Amino acid sequence: MFEYYNSLGARSYYQGEGSLSCFSSLDNCLTNSTIANREIDPVAVLSILMKNYAIGTRTLIKGVERTPWMSMSDDHGGWNCADLPAHQQVKVGPEDASASLHQHLRDEALAFIGSKKTIGILLSGGMDSRIVAGIVRQLQVEGSFSGDVVALTWGVPDSRDVLYAQKIAKAFNWEFKYFPLTAEGLARNLELTAERGAEFSPVHLHAMESISKMHGLEGVLAGSYGDSIGRGEYSGKRVNKLPSILDKHMNHFSFLLQSVEKKALPEIKNDLLLSRQCFSGRSEISYREIEMQMHYMRRQLNACMEIIDDNVPLYQMFGSQDTFGYMWSLAPECRNDDIYEHLLLRLPNVLQDIPWARTGKKYNQNDMSQEDTFSALNNHYGEWLRNDLRSHVLGLINGGSLQRLGIFNDKSLEMWSKCWPKTGGFKADRLDEKMAWLASLAIFVDKYNVQGIQPKCTLKVEDSLAQAKAYIHTNLYHLAIRLKS
């Protein structure tokens, strides 16, 4: 079960209170649990409203937790933390760093694919997945891997992700399997998110369920950890510029009652403190990167990838201790885009020629004349939610399941149901993403018979003030977006 427990992309399991057994699904955990009342955990709810993922090991049901990050059971009810590599200040040039990273990635890929006959690669137009593809192609050419490869790509047809991935697959003579993203698929992901504990927004599931049902694959490689490890970047922020994980209070929409929020926030801070204590003696910069891996990467990105891993073993490249340990040994300023530029020189030439989906230009180049005209967005989730799925989403949010929990500001739920814009771009914004999650949460509450808190909290004057503030803030936010576009 914990074969890759010390890998960044290792799966986290479910564990019921007082149980030594671990389960791969929430459903199995609850079936075999002795928890009398399945009560909602407002701390986890606030965490998801603020950060889009649950902090630490919490789930939305009290008494059910995720197994700790980078830890192995000691069979006595406790956990042994992995010997986490230290962050250091070694200074090397991008050419030397790329040489070491290249070798580590080769070792990682070989350790996973071994003698498998057919593997899949989650391939997009981004840099991380094409580097994984390049590594595997090299292993094929030199004879270290004799199996077949299937490139697995999702998106809308005219997106860079789909078009660039198809070019790479064709150049490598690989089978190309394309999964379109649609409003109907997003509707299914509302339900799938609920089935899996409603711990993230449905907009992150893409075509993962379809890939999990593919026959003939003995393993799937993903490169989702490349940005954070290979380039030292988390959601656009460099590792030496990462803010505190609670730097901004992001519960913009006043969905939660103020009394619930004030009680839950200190518990989130305590969870963060306890999680740091598992890996003591680190610098603040080191802790901030560890927290991004422990909470954000594991509880949002990797939790979604578990859908594939349910049926086909999935491994996240850049995740071995040798690989991320080496990158962590480098000074923060040495972990930059130049490493990828030099790494591409060690891989098949076609990967340098195909533009980067993020910019439409060749990687690390600023020549605007070379930018393509394809779409940088691989989905239309915002438009689909606001229009195609609007009545379905609002019916779930206002169906009574959320209101019975006794933690939500019912007036805010009503307000945003009426004021949720129908217009906007294809991309899902913060409000779209939260409305999708609330719809999944309503399904989750009914599916697992989740109970509200006792005694239930009631609406107060401070909630009306927070609601008004949220309305003004969101309208200013949407105005700024319109002016920018």
Side-chain angles (χ1 to χ4, degrees), residues 267-325:
E267 293 196 49
I268 290 178
K269 293 178 179 179
N270 187 59
D271 288 347
L272 289 169
L273 179 61
L274 291 175
S275 66
R276 284 192 175 197
Q277 291 175 358
C278 295
F279 305 96
S280 59
R282 312 275 167 157
S283 68
E284 182 61 27
I285 289 179
S286 176
Y287 275 129
R288 291 187 181 187
E289 179 163 20
I290 288 171
E291 285 178 333
M292 290 301 288
Q293 288 290 344
M294 185 186 303
H295 308 299
Y296 163 56
M297 295 294 287
R298 181 175 76 111
R299 297 306 306 274
Q300 179 171 290
L301 183 146
N302 216 53
C304 296
M305 292 289 187
E306 289 172 3
I307 293 173
I308 299 175
D309 191 62
D310 281 348
N311 296 316
V312 185
L314 179 140
Y315 180 75
Q316 291 280 10
M317 292 283 285
F318 297 86
S320 76
Q321 288 223 24
D322 286 341
T323 302
F324 75 82

Side-chain angles (χ1 to χ4, degrees), residues 144-155:
S144 297
F145 173 56
S146 58
D148 295 322
V149 178
V150 181
L152 309 168
T153 301
W154 59 61

Side-chain angles (χ1 to χ4, degrees), residues 109 112-114 116-124 129 132-134 136-137 140 145 147-154 169 174-177 179 211-212 214-224 305 308-309 312-317:
F112 177 73
I113 62 181
K116 292 179 174 65
K117 294 181 180 180
T118 305
I119 65 164
I121 293 179
L122 300 184
L123 186 60
S124 69
S129 66
V132 174
V136 173
R137 183 56 181 165
Q140 276 187 315
F145 173 56
D148 295 322
V149 178
V150 181
L152 309 168
T153 301
W154 59 61
W174 289 348
E175 180 184 349
F176 179 71
K177 184 65 177 176
F179 301 87
I211 290 174
S212 75
M214 281 193 66
H215 297 292
L217 296 180
E218 297 177 51
V220 172
L221 283 173
S224 314
M305 292 289 187
I308 299 175
D309 191 62
V312 185
L314 179 140
Y315 180 75
Q316 291 280 10
M317 292 283 285

Side-chain angles (χ1 to χ4, degrees), residues 205-239:
L205 293 187
H206 308 300
M208 293 183 194
E209 185 179 42
S210 296
I211 290 174
S212 75
K213 295 178 180 179
M214 281 193 66
H215 297 292
L217 296 180
E218 297 177 51
V220 172
L221 283 173
S224 314
Y225 282 71
D227 268 353
S228 60
I229 300 302
R231 298 174 52 248
E233 181 181 292
Y234 293 83
S235 300
K237 296 249 191 303
R238 292 293 179 183
V239 291

Side-chain angles (χ1 to χ4, degrees), residues 18-193:
S19 172
L20 297 181
S21 299
C22 296
F23 302 92
S24 59
S25 72
L26 175 62
D27 193 54
N28 285 339
C29 182
L30 291 173
T31 299
N32 294 277
S33 172
T34 58
I35 299 173
N37 296 311
R38 299 175 181 180
E39 184 179 334
I40 194 74
D41 185 351
V43 181
V45 173
L46 176 61
S47 178
I48 296 172
L49 286 172
M50 291 175 63
K51 306 299 297 181
N52 294 325
Y53 52 86
I55 294 289
T57 61
R58 289 181 186 270
T59 71
L60 288 171
I61 298 178
K62 288 184 178 180
V64 178
E65 293 190 339
R66 290 280 199 152
T67 51
W69 180 69
M70 299 287 280
S71 301
M72 177 179 283
S73 171
D74 62 8
D75 297 323
H76 300 290
W79 295 90
N80 294 322
C81 298
D83 186 13
L84 207 60
H87 285 74
Q88 300 177 52
Q89 295 292 324
V90 177
K91 295 187 177 182
V92 299
E95 186 171 359
D96 290 338
S98 69
S100 295
L101 179 57
H102 180 247
Q103 185 59 54
H104 287 308
L105 291 173
R106 283 174 53 89
D107 293 343
E108 264 193 283
L110 278 172
F112 177 73
I113 62 181
S115 59
K116 292 179 174 65
K117 294 181 180 180
T118 305
I119 65 164
I121 293 179
L122 300 184
L123 186 60
S124 69
M127 293 310 300
D128 308 319
S129 66
R130 81 173 58 180
I131 284 173
V132 174
I135 293 288
V136 173
R137 183 56 181 165
Q138 283 186 329
L139 296 176
Q140 276 187 315
V141 171
E142 69 186 35
S144 297
F145 173 56
S146 58
D148 295 322
V149 178
V150 181
L152 309 168
T153 301
W154 59 61
V156 291
D158 62 344
S159 65
R160 289 170 180 164
D161 275 339
V162 174
L163 297 172
Y164 294 171
Q166 190 171 24
K167 285 185 178 181
I168 294 171
K170 184 177 181 180
F172 291 168
N173 198 29
W174 289 348
E175 180 184 349
F176 179 71
K177 184 65 177 176
Y178 164 58
F179 301 87
L181 299 180
T182 64
E184 292 76 17
L186 180 55
R188 165 58 188 153
N189 285 344
L190 293 176
E191 298 177 359
L192 187 56
T193 296

Side-chain angles (χ1 to χ4, degrees), residues 217-392:
L217 296 180
E218 297 177 51
V220 172
L221 283 173
S224 314
Y225 282 71
D227 268 353
S228 60
I229 300 302
R231 298 174 52 248
E233 181 181 292
Y234 293 83
S235 300
K237 296 249 191 303
R238 292 293 179 183
V239 291
N240 56 337
K241 301 293 185 181
L242 288 174
S244 166
I245 200 167
L246 293 181
D247 179 57
K248 292 182 179 179
H249 193 292
M250 296 169 61
N251 185 24
H252 295 305
F253 305 107
S254 188
F255 284 124
L256 217 58
L257 290 169
Q258 291 294 293
S259 56
V260 176
E261 183 177 319
K262 288 176 182 177
K263 187 176 180 180
L265 187 57
E267 293 196 49
I268 290 178
K269 293 178 179 179
N270 187 59
D271 288 347
L272 289 169
L273 179 61
L274 291 175
S275 66
R276 284 192 175 197
Q277 291 175 358
C278 295
F279 305 96
S280 59
R282 312 275 167 157
S283 68
E284 182 61 27
I285 289 179
S286 176
Y287 275 129
R288 291 187 181 187
E289 179 163 20
I290 288 171
E291 285 178 333
M292 290 301 288
Q293 288 290 344
M294 185 186 303
H295 308 299
Y296 163 56
M297 295 294 287
R298 181 175 76 111
R299 297 306 306 274
Q300 179 171 290
L301 183 146
N302 216 53
C304 296
M305 292 289 187
E306 289 172 3
I307 293 173
I308 299 175
D309 191 62
D310 281 348
N311 296 316
V312 185
L314 179 140
Y315 180 75
Q316 291 280 10
M317 292 283 285
F318 297 86
S320 76
Q321 288 223 24
D322 286 341
T323 302
F324 75 82
Y326 171 72
M327 298 306 294
W328 283 9
S329 75
L330 304 182
E333 61 268 24
C334 296
R335 296 170 62 187
N336 55 46
D337 296 349
D338 295 340
I339 293 178
Y340 266 20
E341 184 175 352
H342 284 269
L343 184 55
L344 285 172
L345 297 175
R346 300 175 181 276
L347 300 174
N349 291 339
V350 66
L351 300 180
Q352 304 167 42
D353 298 332
I354 296 174
W356 187 16
R358 188 180 298 185
T359 63
K361 297 176 288 187
K362 289 185 177 181
Y363 182 73
N364 231 11
Q365 303 297 316
N366 294 314
D367 187 354
M368 298 298 292
S369 65
Q370 295 183 0
E371 185 174 357
D372 68 32
T373 57
F374 303 127
S375 173
L377 190 64
N378 75 348
N379 65 75
H380 296 172
Y381 289 150
E383 181 186 47
W384 295 335
L385 284 167
R386 290 180 232 112
N387 295 281
D388 302 65
L389 304 181
R390 187 183 191 88
S391 60
H392 179 51

